[in-house]
Amino acid sequence: MNKIQMVDLIGQYQKIQPEIDKAVLDVIRSSAYINGPEVKAFQAEFEQYLKVKHVIPCANGTDALQIAMMALGFKPGDEIITADFTYVATAEVIALLNLKPVLVDVMPDTFTLNLQAVEAAITEKTVGIVPVHLFGQCCDMQPLLETARKHNLAIIEDTAQAIGADYTFANGEKAKAGTIGTIGCTSFFPSKNLGCYGDGGAMYTNDDTLAAKIRMIANHGQSVQYYHDEIGVNSRLDSLQAAILRIKLRHLDEYAASRNKVADYYDKALGKNPKVRIPIRAKNSTHVFHQYTLVLKGVDRSKLKDYLAEKGIPAMIYYPVPLHMQKAYRDSRYKEGDFPVTEMLCSSVISLPIHTELDESTLKFITDSVLEFLQ
Ligand SMILES: Cc1ncc(COP(=O)(O)O)c(C=O)c1O
């Protein structure tokens, strides 16, 4: 059996190696490393895949969130509501722009924003909400859109973990994660479902004016070279990454299907054990299983992690500390116990390996090992 990894990027690369190698060499031979034709082609193909008017590529997912908030013209002190249970980047950019992160708890089943808590957190200073489509499925966007409309708030979707997931509205219409709110932000970090071979990210929007502003801010605040109308940043997706992403985009749905097969296997093997809760599938979203995350009940998590590690099975804790308990984000507004669901999740979740290259014998070994420990 090959070494088990949380994500097997080499195995995935080997399956598409001739195409990738050729695409990379072509970029090198063309010397169009920055803003070359590959970037434009990827942008157009991704727009088509997402059924969105504008994709604006950038350097990483954190930049995408930052540029989105800059483009929306938020002012220092404006309040942005987001989940306490997320990767730090979501809140980091809010704080960096001198906006005020307002944290709310998440749902115990889907791990996405608790919409009642969002409503309760809205004040006259609130300007935006950042739903995080955590672990691969969408936050419940329809009621969130209604809340945002009622209070005239922007929605910046953090879809770094849910590229390709579909949200279904009550009338049966579907939309891709990230194309529902005002701006969608994503990451092409190598381990993401659509990952490049370095850093990368993108913003999506259907709003032409906003798209032009985002593009300008990502390019030093200029739309005509050397004429700077806004304070911007330098955030580009390079041509090599775009060429790689064009190839991987063609496989994205097949990657989601193989991740779902892994999840189905885990569900079947572990679902009846009372000591674990398998991931709950949201009614109105497909799941692209960026992570397969169990909630442990009365189990010593670090002992389980060590037990699996001894057998060569990696497992990760996403995330061990709620944002409001992080040193950098400590705030007199919050104390331990304020976000009980997030705190419970941070102390009891564990994520098992999930990627596109896991075979059944490896999955059996992983689930047998988990069950052995739980006995
Ligand atoms: C939920 C979430 N938001 C934002 C990011 C930031 O993306 P990047 O690492 O590309 O800056 C990540 C990725 O790690 C993420 O998981």
Side-chain angles (χ1 to χ4, degrees), residues 59-65 86-90 92 132-135 158-161 185-189 191-192 199-201 290 319:
N60 56 66
T62 310
D63 275 8
L65 289 161
T86 180
Y87 182 58
V88 70
T90 319
E92 188 174 60
V132 183
H133 303 318
L134 204 73
F135 300 154
D158 183 342
T159 189
Q161 301 191 6
C185 296
T186 205
S187 163
F188 304 125
F189 186 79
S191 62
K192 294 289 189 261
D199 272 313
H290 178 58
Y319 298 94

Side-chain angles (χ1 to χ4, degrees), residues 215-233:
R215 208 172 279 289
M216 182 163 79
I217 290 173
N219 182 25
H220 296 291
Q222 64 188 342
S223 40
V224 177
Q225 201 175 18
Y226 306 127
Y227 291 82
H228 304 275
D229 298 338
E230 297 262 347
I231 295 175
V233 297

Side-chain angles (χ1 to χ4, degrees), residues 193-267:
N193 289 31
L194 179 61
C196 57
Y197 294 172
D199 272 313
M203 292 146 286
Y204 334 140
T205 185
N206 283 307
D207 181 322
D208 298 341
T209 314
L210 209 43
K213 195 152 181 209
I214 291 170
R215 208 172 279 289
M216 182 163 79
I217 290 173
N219 182 25
H220 296 291
Q222 64 188 342
S223 40
V224 177
Q225 201 175 18
Y226 306 127
Y227 291 82
H228 304 275
D229 298 338
E230 297 262 347
I231 295 175
V233 297
N234 174 22
S235 188
R236 299 184 281 239
L237 180 74
D238 69 66
S239 302
L240 283 171
Q241 304 309 333
I244 292 160
L245 286 167
R246 285 186 73 195
I247 294 162
K248 292 187 72 177
L249 178 59
R250 292 172 210 145
H251 297 277
L252 183 58
D253 289 341
E254 158 204 325
Y255 290 163
S258 55
R259 285 172 176 273
N260 268 276
K261 261 195 189 161
V262 172
D264 290 344
Y265 189 99
Y266 282 150
D267 279 359

Side-chain angles (χ1 to χ4, degrees), residues 173-191:
E173 270 178 39
K174 289 183 193 301
K176 289 277 179 212
T179 67
I180 304 161
T182 321
I183 305 176
C185 296
T186 205
S187 163
F188 304 125
F189 186 79
S191 62

